[in-house]
Amino acid sequence: MAKEPVRVLVTGAAGQIGYALVPMIARGVMLGADQPVILHLLDIPPAAEALNGVKMELVDAAFPLLKGVVATTDVVEACTGVNIAVMVGGFPRKEGMERKDVMSKNVSIYKSQASALEKHAAANCKVLVVANPANTNALILKEFAPSIPEKNITCLTRLDHNRALGQVSERLNVQVSDVKNVIIWGNHSSSQYPDVNHATVKTPSGEKAVRELVADNAWLTGEFITTVQQRGAAIIKARKLSSALSAASSACDHIRDWVLGTPEGTWVSMGVYSDGSYNVPSGLIYSFPVICQNGEWKIVQGLSIDEFSRKKLDATADELSEEKALAYSCLS
């Protein structure tokens, strides 16, 4: 029997990431090849014409799974009945802007979208925040949508996770699909900690530790970490535009694994509401290793954390606590 369509909201849908993301969703990359979808596309009034152009192209592509498109600049109409919300829209930092100015703009955007989601989204709506500062935007959204369970509000660090997998695969000249269990800890910023201490590679003679195969501690604790941390900036330098197709693809990965489950023995990185695991202060949206089952994520427990890692976990937590304080100061 055919499944009921799932309603998926994409905010900032006329932008670069949105333009890369909506065809992936319509093609079944996010929710599976047998899951019909209805897309809800939201953008700001100055982008209304471009948004309509995206809708026209979605119609022209004749995606069999796409059962409808709502393209609007009205936040209530966009949020009504949605089961999944991918929050790509936000206020980007422009030259000469202070962090507080950017934060204050995003606080007001996420405050209004939070209340629309809370009042009008379907029960048990799953939310993924992509727009930067992603962790803190997700925290603001949680604050202003108190009836949405905290476990349903997440932010995207899967892009960083996938970047880490890519770097290991390039270094070892192996298939990226044979590398698993890297971890991104903390903030989706340059303070994040890409950790390979528990990562493995599938080889003809069984699974081997990434550390053992790379056999270069200086690279793993130096260039590998900075490359992943600064990959976004490197792409802007090369393309003169920020990461779009990789961000869209990893947003699909994040939702797909959350909804359909992670493979046995594999974890992924998600920015989730901290419960104090690994001595990370509770009350932050922080990236942890998680496994997903039956539409729920769970933090992987009991991983050993060495002294080098501990300092990195604490440093990115400190940055998130500062961001949180800055965001809350914009509310007063």
Side-chain angles (χ1 to χ4, degrees):
M1 207 171 103
K3 294 181 170 179
E4 278 294 298
V6 169
R7 291 180 179 270
V8 182
L9 166 66
V10 177
T11 72
Q16 265 224 102
I17 295 173
Y19 188 70
L21 177 60
V22 293
M24 293 183 188
I25 301 170
R27 215 176 252 297
V29 176
M30 179 180 277
L31 294 168
D34 63 343
Q35 178 59 65
V37 291
I38 296 170
L39 280 168
H40 287 228
L41 311 179
L42 175 69
D43 218 312
I44 53 175
E49 204 176 341
L51 186 65
N52 194 43
V54 174
K55 180 179 179 176
M56 287 157 67
E57 284 205 73
L58 285 167
V59 170
D60 295 349
F63 293 109
L65 289 172
L66 186 59
K67 302 304 178 190
V69 181
V70 176
T72 182
T73 58
D74 179 85
V75 68
V76 170
E77 186 186 1
C79 291
T80 299
V82 297
N83 309 100
I84 290 166
V86 186
M87 318 301 282
V88 180
F91 193 90
R93 188 169 182 175
K94 295 179 177 163
E95 220 171 325
M97 278 185 85
E98 291 296 323
R99 274 180 74 219
K100 173 134 189 188
D101 300 335
V102 185
M103 191 69 82
S104 144
K105 296 266 191 205
N106 280 298
V107 163
S108 65
I109 292 169
Y110 277 81
K111 197 172 160 181
S112 83
Q113 293 184 351
S115 49
L117 277 172
E118 176 163 62
K119 292 191 187 91
H120 304 286
N124 210 28
C125 174
K126 287 178 159 56
V127 182
L128 166 61
V129 177
V130 176
N132 288 322
N135 301 57
T136 300
N137 284 343
L139 196 61
I140 293 297
L141 196 144
K142 182 203 160 293
E143 199 66 30
F144 288 97
S147 73
I148 298 178
E150 59 196 34
K151 67 181 173 51
N152 283 24
I153 296 174
T154 64
C155 82
L156 187 72
T157 55
R158 183 61 175 267
L159 175 55
D160 310 297
H161 181 98
N162 288 351
R163 285 168 171 164
L165 293 174
Q167 288 304 304
V168 170
S169 109
E170 295 267 289
R171 176 77 178 196
L172 294 174
N173 197 20
V174 297
Q175 295 297 318
V176 74
S177 53
D178 288 337
V179 186
K180 68 175 189 179
N181 295 351
V182 297
I183 302 168
I184 301 297
W185 298 99
N187 198 1
H188 174 60
S189 75
S190 57
S191 79
Q192 63 175 261
Y193 172 44
D195 175 7
V196 296
N197 287 321
H198 309 277
T200 60
V201 177
K202 191 160 88 186
T203 74
S205 54
E207 285 194 355
K208 295 245 163 79
V210 165
R211 273 205 166 277
E212 181 193 327
L213 292 175
V214 170
D216 183 344
N217 192 53
W219 184 77
L220 286 172
T221 55
E223 191 188 332
F224 164 73
I225 291 176
T226 54
T227 299
V228 176
Q229 287 173 333
Q230 292 161 20
R231 188 67 159 186
I235 286 165
I236 290 172
K237 190 165 183 279
R239 286 190 75 229
K240 312 293 178 271
L241 293 163
S242 57
S243 316
L245 84 82
S246 54
S249 180
S250 54
C252 288
D253 291 344
H254 175 113
I255 296 286
R256 187 184 61 248
D257 286 343
W258 188 5
V259 172
L260 301 177
T262 44
E264 187 71 32
T266 300
W267 62 66
V268 293
S269 302
M270 284 171 67
V272 298
Y273 197 63
S274 169
D275 61 358
S277 292
Y278 296 100
N279 292 331
V280 170
S282 50
L284 297 175
I285 301 260
Y286 188 100
S287 182
F288 288 96
V290 302
I291 53 169
C292 304
Q293 241 179 338
N294 306 321
E296 307 269 327
W297 55 264
K298 202 166 70 178
I299 296 172
V300 176
Q301 297 295 343
L303 298 173
S304 58
I305 306 292
D306 62 18
E307 197 183 340
F308 177 84
S309 299
R310 183 72 257 164
K311 286 186 175 137
K312 297 279 189 194
L313 263 74
D314 292 345
T316 189
D318 290 347
E319 183 183 65
L320 280 167
S321 297
E322 280 167 33
E323 272 188 25
K324 178 180 178 177
L326 186 61
Y328 280 49
S329 74
C330 298
L331 295 170
S332 46

